[in-house]
Amino acid sequence: MCYAQFIENLFYKGGGSLEKPTIADVAKYAGVSITTVSRVINNNYPVKEETRQKVEEAINALNFKPNYLARSLIGKSTHTIGVVVPSITNLFFPVVVKGIEKVCSQKTFSLFLCDTDGKEESERTQIQNLLEKQVDGILVIDPRYENIENGFYEECAKKIPLVLINGYHRGVRCNFVLNDQEMGTLQAMEYLIKLGHRDIAFLRAKNSYSYDIKEQVYYETLKKHQIPIRKENILVIENGNGLETVELAIQVVQKRLEQEEPPTAIFACNDWMGVGVMQAAKRLGISIPEDLSVIGYDNIVISEISEPKLTTVDQNMYALGKTSARLLLDIIKHPGHGFQKIILDTNLMIRESCTSPKK
Amino acid sequence: MCYAQFIENLFYKGGGSLEKPTIADVAKYAGVSITTVSRVINNNYPVKEETRQKVEEAINALNFKPNYLARSLIGKSTHTIGVVVPSITNLFFPVVVKGIEKVCSQKTFSLFLCDTDGKEESERTQIQNLLEKQVDGILVIDPRYENIENGFYEECAKKIPLVLINGYHRGVRCNFVLNDQEMGTLQAMEYLIKLGHRDIAFLRAKNSYSYDIKEQVYYETLKKHQIPIRKENILVIENGNGLETVELAIQVVQKRLEQEEPPTAIFACNDWMGVGVMQAAKRLGISIPEDLSVIGYDNIVISEISEPKLTTVDQNMYALGKTSARLLLDIIKHPGHGFQKIILDTNLMIRESCTSPKK
DNA sequence: TTGAAAGCGCTAACAT
DNA sequence: ATGTTAGCGCTTTCAA
């Protein structure tokens, strides 16, 4: 059949080739004009039934597929969006991307994937590339704070539909979709306090707006419950994302647990750190949750397979992706409605790593 | 602000415009012909230094960016490839994708990401889409066996540079990049045997070519060492990939371990299952590796954060991605060199979950 | 209901 | 060294 088709092609192209057939080939084969072929493809103008048949036959015979490039060039749209992530291997982002993909493929949009390795400059050049490739819109997951603050994204947003996911700076005129980190942290803290904990450590990494927010809420919640804040309960590690995080967390937590008056619970700013806490405890023969409660954040897959299973805050990454994609496609379709900031709920995932402290 | 932009548009149209500038605008601004502008952009023909300056000024002044669509339409290439994955959330694939991304971005190729949810038909339609979008080549990670066997990919390979990653069928004319699963399994089995194990269970899921291969090697290795095969040591679960796998593995392994003469070691066909084995052991108070050795396969991130750390077979996903991408780009650049089958080495990652059996 | 022709933004012969 | 012109494959007026 492919051979037959090959021959057919040879025959037709009068000299022949395996080249992709164009709309002109179809027109010739069907004995109609190019315009008519276009009409049956797009089904946007009346065409006599008989003609349509002929054209459709030709299309099948030649196995014609319209060239998107040419279509797009005329100006409507490329039906393509760009998705920029700091690192696709991050365990966190693939779920968001999947949500985006789901919505896009439903609406027959394609998706350019760009990985920046978390570099501020790479983020900018990737966006430039996307612009040149004429994408209809751009989604940025965890944009670098600097690029939001320095006006880069505000500038972008003027040129092209743009949605920033999980990054924010007050006053920047841009579309945002965010998780409610204040709420998530509050849920976690209130839960621990309700269990009876009054000595809760806070484990974070350096330099992240996200951890700053959480630390803020940590203080506020303690204050609200008139629980004194102890400086030695603020545990800080260098790097918050990746394998080394676990090891770093183990070190710092182990040290803290060996001091006098160790905390009865630890709030970890993400699940990697949460796992680190568990392993530190294990090494010291401290059992979780009996002797120490741990709560994580993010609900990435590792929290579900740890032993015991880690209680954590779910950010519903999948919904985050879907919501953002929907917003973007909506903006593409109906431009110029001003900017939106959508804040998504978080959910406390109560599993096995927390309980009331021993008296 | 959107209003402001609206106004700005109104104002500008007909004198200048906020519309993207085209090469013609640049030419007019610089007082040269379109061709000359094209020449300085592409830097492929001699242009007087003075003229070049003028043009570059114009380009900057107008903030001109060439339109890739138009460029591509002329026929060279879109500088874009398609990457098809069963599921980007799979923990396995993001690393491969990252490797691909790395190579592509280095060569200024963009990458369309397509997620098929592992569906045979979706795989085909996604590929159709990619073809219509005029990608220069396609990479498929873990292609469905059916689509390889039924000739679909062989057909594709005639139309476009195509590389299949981690899927194979003898006799199919196509490019393949594979991990050496026979070798990996062999390494794992020999390791266990060398440690002194003679009662090794094999844990797999149903319906996968990959598990079939491994089972085959399992038998052969035992036979080679004259170790009798025990039927009750073949453990099969329903689903091999995802969270539920851990639970399923726990069930079946727990059951086996409670029988008489339990194995002293278990070969798990992937790391999810490996984790399941560990947790089953934990529930039964069997300690790893003292009472039971476990070996996994894949070396996904969870194997590194389990307690104890899981010994496993590394498939070097990242290299897999990079190699495949390089091969594809190479084929795109120099077409028609026949097909290749590249087989990558595996590495035994000896960590903490295996030791010699107690006498 | 159909076709001719202009043009999307760019490149590449072919002149000059 | 630079400009003129003819397309790339398609959509879309405008005419018939």
Side-chain angles (χ1 to χ4, degrees):
Chain A
M1 144 71 280
C2 182
Y3 184 68
Q5 191 175 304
F6 174 67
I7 294 298
E8 203 161 355
N9 265 312
L10 266 190
F11 174 64
Y12 250 94
K13 285 267 184 162
S17 81
L18 242 166
E19 306 248 313
K20 286 178 197 158
T22 74
I23 198 172
D25 299 322
V26 177
K28 206 197 282 180
Y29 189 107
V32 299
S33 78
I34 290 183
T35 315
T36 305
V37 176
S38 171
R39 280 176 186 139
V40 347
I41 294 168
N42 295 295
N43 198 27
N44 51 359
Y45 284 90
V47 173
K48 219 206 299 179
E49 192 47 36
E50 201 186 315
T51 322
R52 156 165 279 120
Q53 296 262 317
K54 274 194 300 180
V55 173
E56 268 159 4
E57 271 166 37
I59 289 176
N60 289 328
L62 301 178
N63 190 27
F64 166 78
K65 301 270 178 261
N67 181 332
Y68 238 89
L69 254 39
R71 274 189 169 179
S72 304
L73 183 54
I74 296 183
K76 297 280 164 229
S77 125
T78 51
H79 254 223
T80 299
I81 67 162
V83 177
V84 181
V85 293
S87 178
I88 190 66
T89 53
N90 193 92
L91 217 47
F92 195 92
F93 303 128
V95 186
V96 185
V97 172
K98 179 102 177 184
I100 295 169
E101 217 275 346
K102 204 78 189 167
V103 171
C104 283
S105 69
Q106 226 171 71
K107 309 248 177 189
T108 67
F109 269 71
S110 303
L111 172 168
F112 276 129
L113 183 74
C114 305
D115 188 306
T116 65
D117 276 322
K119 298 205 199 88
E120 190 186 332
E121 201 200 314
S122 168
E123 210 172 279
R124 279 186 253 119
T125 57
Q126 294 274 26
I127 299 237
Q128 275 305 337
N129 289 340
L130 289 173
L131 252 23
E132 289 182 29
K133 295 244 160 139
Q134 315 299 125
V135 294
D136 292 342
I138 297 178
L139 244 25
V140 189
I141 309 177
D142 258 40
R144 291 285 304 228
Y145 191 62
E146 297 88 329
N147 284 332
I148 308 180
E149 214 183 3
N150 66 20
F152 172 74
Y153 281 118
E154 194 157 344
E155 218 42 54
C156 283
K158 288 181 190 160
K159 297 185 208 150
I160 188 168
L162 174 75
V163 174
L164 264 27
I165 305 175
N166 261 12
Y168 182 69
H169 182 63
R170 178 175 294 167
V172 171
R173 307 190 64 75
C174 215
N175 297 290
F176 296 99
V177 178
L178 307 163
N179 278 306
D180 196 338
Q181 304 205 43
E182 279 96 341
M183 180 198 258
T185 308
L186 190 65
Q187 285 173 316
M189 288 298 294
E190 292 284 3
Y191 174 63
L192 290 176
I193 290 169
K194 196 170 138 216
L195 283 176
H197 294 279
R198 295 185 56 85
D199 207 344
I200 304 169
F202 179 86
L203 174 57
R204 62 166 290 176
K206 289 189 177 167
N207 303 323
S208 160
Y209 184 57
S210 155
Y211 304 143
D212 291 345
I213 293 180
K214 286 169 184 153
E215 188 169 342
Q216 197 54 45
V217 175
Y218 167 82
Y219 289 133
E220 285 167 11
T221 317
L222 289 186
K223 193 176 286 173
K224 175 177 146 203
H225 287 273
Q226 290 157 313
I227 298 173
I229 291 160
R230 297 176 58 194
K231 261 210 168 140
E232 60 274 33
N233 270 346
I234 305 297
L235 276 18
V236 183
I237 61 177
E238 204 61 40
N239 182 330
N241 249 308
L243 272 179
E244 67 275 36
T245 302
V246 176
E247 201 51 53
L248 292 171
I250 291 176
Q251 307 300 338
V252 69
V253 169
Q254 196 164 344
K255 203 168 135 201
R256 177 67 187 93
L257 290 178
E258 285 169 335
Q259 293 168 354
E260 306 237 312
E261 295 189 59
T264 61
I266 300 185
F267 173 95
C269 276
N270 71 31
D271 290 340
W272 291 105
M273 301 181 200
V275 168
V277 173
M278 291 218 225
Q279 299 203 359
K282 186 163 188 184
R283 288 192 191 173
L284 297 175
I286 294 172
S287 72
I288 289 176
E290 293 76 16
D291 302 328
L292 179 70
S293 289
V294 194
I295 197 161
Y297 206 103
D298 286 355
N299 194 26
I300 57 179
V301 64
I302 56 170
S303 66
E304 240 171 310
I305 58 160
S306 63
E307 255 293 317
K309 295 196 174 70
L310 184 64
T311 291
T312 190
V313 178
D314 179 34
Q315 307 200 53
N316 206 179
M317 293 293 119
Y318 190 63
L320 191 68
K322 285 175 90 168
T323 305
S324 312
R326 283 206 204 96
L327 175 60
L328 184 68
L329 297 192
D330 195 60
I331 295 169
I332 290 170
K333 214 168 176 185
H334 318 282
H337 273 7
F339 295 111
Q340 294 189 37
K341 176 177 164 191
I342 300 180
I343 298 179
L344 265 41
D345 257 25
T346 54
N347 278 305
L348 188 61
M349 305 295 290
I350 297 179
R351 293 205 267 250
E352 304 165 352
S353 67
C354 295
T355 191
S356 294
K358 287 185 191 158
K359 261 293 54 180
Chain B
M1 122 95 242
C2 185
Y3 183 64
Q5 189 175 309
F6 174 67
I7 293 298
E8 204 162 352
N9 263 308
L10 266 189
F11 176 65
Y12 262 106
K13 291 265 186 157
S17 91
L18 238 167
E19 305 251 310
K20 284 181 198 156
T22 74
I23 198 172
D25 298 324
V26 177
K28 204 196 283 180
Y29 189 105
V32 298
S33 77
I34 289 183
T35 315
T36 305
V37 177
S38 171
R39 279 171 188 144
V40 346
I41 295 168
N42 295 296
N43 197 28
N44 51 359
Y45 283 92
V47 172
K48 218 206 303 181
E49 191 46 37
E50 200 186 315
T51 321
R52 157 166 279 118
Q53 294 262 318
K54 272 195 301 183
V55 172
E56 268 160 4
E57 270 167 37
I59 288 177
N60 289 327
L62 301 178
N63 191 27
F64 167 77
K65 302 271 179 259
N67 181 333
Y68 238 89
L69 254 39
R71 275 188 169 179
S72 305
L73 182 56
I74 296 183
K76 296 278 165 233
S77 123
T78 51
H79 255 223
T80 299
I81 67 162
V83 176
V84 182
V85 293
S87 177
I88 189 65
T89 53
N90 193 90
L91 217 47
F92 196 92
F93 303 127
V95 186
V96 185
V97 171
K98 179 104 178 183
I100 295 169
E101 217 275 346
K102 203 80 190 165
V103 171
C104 284
S105 69
Q106 226 171 70
K107 309 247 179 190
T108 68
F109 270 71
S110 304
L111 173 169
F112 276 129
L113 183 73
C114 306
D115 189 305
T116 66
D117 276 322
K119 298 205 199 88
E120 189 186 333
E121 201 201 312
S122 167
E123 211 171 279
R124 279 186 252 118
T125 57
Q126 295 273 25
I127 299 233
Q128 275 305 339
N129 290 340
L130 289 172
L131 252 23
E132 289 182 29
K133 295 245 161 141
Q134 312 301 122
V135 293
D136 293 341
I138 297 177
L139 243 26
V140 189
I141 309 176
D142 259 43
R144 290 286 302 226
Y145 190 63
E146 297 88 328
N147 284 332
I148 308 180
E149 213 184 4
N150 66 19
F152 172 74
Y153 281 119
E154 195 158 343
E155 218 43 53
C156 282
K158 290 182 189 157
K159 297 185 208 148
I160 188 168
L162 174 76
V163 174
L164 264 27
I165 305 175
N166 262 10
Y168 181 68
H169 183 63
R170 178 174 293 166
V172 170
R173 308 190 61 74
C174 214
N175 296 291
F176 296 99
V177 178
L178 306 163
N179 278 306
D180 196 338
Q181 304 205 42
E182 279 96 341
M183 180 198 259
T185 309
L186 189 64
Q187 286 173 315
M189 288 298 294
E190 293 284 4
Y191 174 63
L192 290 176
I193 290 169
K194 197 171 137 216
L195 283 175
H197 293 280
R198 295 186 53 87
D199 207 342
I200 304 168
F202 179 86
L203 173 57
R204 63 165 291 176
K206 289 188 176 167
N207 304 322
S208 159
Y209 184 58
S210 154
Y211 304 143
D212 290 346
I213 293 180
K214 287 169 184 153
E215 189 169 342
Q216 197 55 44
V217 175
Y218 167 83
Y219 289 133
E220 286 166 10
T221 317
L222 290 185
K223 193 175 285 174
K224 176 177 146 204
H225 288 273
Q226 291 158 313
I227 298 174
I229 291 160
R230 297 176 59 195
K231 264 210 165 141
E232 59 274 34
N233 270 346
I234 307 297
L235 277 17
V236 184
I237 60 176
E238 204 60 40
N239 181 332
N241 251 307
L243 271 180
E244 66 275 36
T245 302
V246 176
E247 201 50 53
L248 292 171
I250 292 177
Q251 307 300 337
V252 69
V253 169
Q254 195 163 345
K255 203 167 135 201
R256 178 67 188 91
L257 292 178
E258 284 168 337
Q259 291 169 356
E260 307 237 313
E261 294 189 59
T264 61
I266 299 184
F267 172 94
C269 276
N270 70 32
D271 290 340
W272 291 106
M273 301 181 200
V275 169
V277 173
M278 290 219 223
Q279 299 202 359
K282 186 163 188 185
R283 288 193 191 173
L284 296 174
I286 294 171
S287 71
I288 290 177
E290 294 75 17
D291 302 328
L292 178 71
S293 290
V294 194
I295 198 161
Y297 206 103
D298 286 353
N299 194 26
I300 57 179
V301 64
I302 57 169
S303 67
E304 240 171 309
I305 58 161
S306 62
E307 256 291 317
K309 295 197 174 69
L310 184 65
T311 291
T312 189
V313 178
D314 180 33
Q315 306 201 54
N316 208 177
M317 294 293 119
Y318 189 64
L320 191 68
K322 284 175 91 167
T323 305
S324 312
R326 283 206 204 95
L327 175 60
L328 184 68
L329 296 191
D330 195 59
I331 296 169
I332 290 170
K333 215 168 175 183
H334 318 284
H337 272 9
F339 296 111
Q340 294 189 36
K341 176 177 163 190
I342 300 180
I343 298 181
L344 264 41
D345 257 26
T346 53
N347 278 305
L348 188 61
M349 305 295 291
I350 297 180
R351 294 206 266 250
E352 305 166 351
S353 66
C354 295
T355 190
S356 294
K358 287 185 192 161
K359 263 287 60 176

